[in-house]
Amino acid sequence: TKAQVFETTFSRASDKMVSNGLIVLKQAMGGGKTHTMIATGLLCKYPHIRRKILKPQFPYPYDGEVRVVGFTGRWTDTLPWTEIAKQLGKEDMLRKEVLMGTAAPSDREWKMLLKGGPTLILLDEIPFYFDYALSIPAGEQTLADLIRTGLANLFSAMNSDELSQVMVLLADLKAAYEKGGEYVTNAVADALSKEAQRTSKPITPIDIGGPEIYEILRRKLFKEYPQVPEDNPDVREIAADYKKFAGEMEKSNLISSD
């Protein structure tokens, strides 16, 4: 759940030696991955809203600000590490070949780039970027292969002591896109996903079987609704009518309660 993401992220920021520096948000499209990333980023960047949003009883162990950088696969006009270095103000720390996209950053370069305090890295829609990068040559390979190597080195670097306060939040790489009327998966993204699985902590942001999904649907479907539905007379009347209707349907063998 989102609470697990928050708690793990802040534990990592507090340098409590959290073993997993990489969280993979596992869920189908529309399952709350991007919203979870945005929420985590805002809570990290603005400590003053943390206690108000999460409530005093939430067990987060870090009160300070966390650097937040991010990359979305929709930014096809740049490279993931170039954008991250730019947001950190450390472009000069990368080799010219890395900045130009002819070489991938090593795990040592990632450590040099990211060390320096609590940091959250958000990576979203990476399969879309791979789909674009497959058609771009980079030496004897494609840009997608180069990106895979660079990100795999990032995942490896997250296991180092130098980056013990750095967390990567990654949307599931096993995404499917529609092409020619059928859904296909990107082989390079799938290969990187297997690399990530070795060191990551998978978390499902939204429990589809729990009450959270109904709260999301209410917000999507209604402009206004009672904050405590069970105490509202209109809601109770609608619920009673629905129960009566469902009972009549069941008596007529049109539905089953099983």
Side-chain angles (χ1 to χ4, degrees):
T1 64
K2 291 198 293 292
Q4 289 177 286
V5 176
F6 299 154
E7 186 172 356
T8 304
T9 299
F10 291 127
S11 294
R12 181 85 176 182
S14 68
D15 203 11
K16 289 186 177 293
M17 301 306 292
V18 175
S19 59
N20 296 105
L22 170 63
I23 291 177
V24 177
L25 300 177
K26 308 279 290 183
Q27 198 127 43
M29 193 170 293
K33 297 186 295 294
T34 300
H35 284 88
T36 300
M37 286 189 175
I38 293 172
T40 307
L42 290 173
L43 290 172
C44 283
K45 191 171 180 63
Y46 301 106
H48 66 280
I49 68 170
R50 217 173 279 163
R51 194 170 293 274
K52 178 181 178 182
I53 299 297
L54 297 180
K55 309 302 181 185
Q57 65 269 25
F58 188 83
Y60 65 86
Y62 186 73
D63 292 323
E65 183 177 343
V66 179
R67 294 185 301 179
V68 179
V69 295
F71 178 82
T72 169
R74 300 286 174 174
W75 294 345
T76 54
D77 59 341
T78 186
L79 299 166
W81 44 82
T82 302
E83 182 61 32
I84 290 171
K86 181 179 179 181
Q87 292 177 30
L88 292 172
K90 295 183 177 181
E91 288 178 279
D92 58 331
M93 298 187 69
L94 294 177
R95 289 174 290 141
K96 183 172 71 173
E97 296 86 354
V98 173
L99 289 170
M100 293 178 61
T102 57
S106 65
D107 61 346
R108 183 170 59 181
E109 286 176 296
W110 277 116
K111 294 172 191 176
M112 292 174 58
L113 184 65
L114 297 174
K115 67 181 181 180
T119 306
L120 174 66
I121 304 170
L122 307 174
L123 299 175
D124 198 11
E125 301 217 49
I126 299 302
F128 181 89
Y129 192 94
F130 278 133
D131 200 42
Y132 152 79
L134 275 170
S135 62
I136 299 177
E140 297 182 358
Q141 57 184 348
T142 68
L143 179 60
D145 296 309
L146 190 74
I147 299 298
R148 174 195 166 189
T149 301
L151 292 182
N153 287 339
L154 169 62
F155 301 160
S156 174
M158 297 309 299
N159 296 317
S160 67
D161 292 339
E162 296 101 309
L163 301 186
S164 62
Q165 289 182 284
V166 180
M167 174 65 78
V168 174
L169 202 53
L170 172 71
D172 194 358
L173 291 166
K174 288 184 176 293
Y177 290 91
E178 189 173 16
K179 274 190 173 182
E182 63 180 25
Y183 282 93
V184 298
T185 56
N186 186 292
V188 182
D190 188 56
L192 183 62
S193 177
K194 293 175 182 176
E195 182 80 26
Q197 287 173 6
R198 297 194 302 164
T199 58
S200 68
K201 177 178 182 178
I203 294 179
T204 302
I206 304 296
D207 180 7
I208 300 298
E212 195 171 13
I213 188 66
Y214 299 107
E215 178 64 24
I216 293 171
L217 288 172
R218 276 196 293 267
R219 289 181 179 271
K220 290 285 187 181
L221 294 174
F222 304 107
K223 287 184 178 180
E224 296 180 6
Y225 59 90
Q227 294 302 308
V228 187
E230 57 270 23
D231 293 341
N232 186 277
D234 293 332
V235 173
R236 288 201 298 269
E237 182 181 352
I238 292 170
D241 288 344
Y242 179 83
K243 183 178 180 180
K244 179 182 177 182
F245 175 75
E248 292 172 352
M249 296 286 284
E250 188 174 2
K251 287 179 181 178
S252 302
N253 293 321
L254 295 175
I255 62 172
S256 173
S257 59
D258 296 337

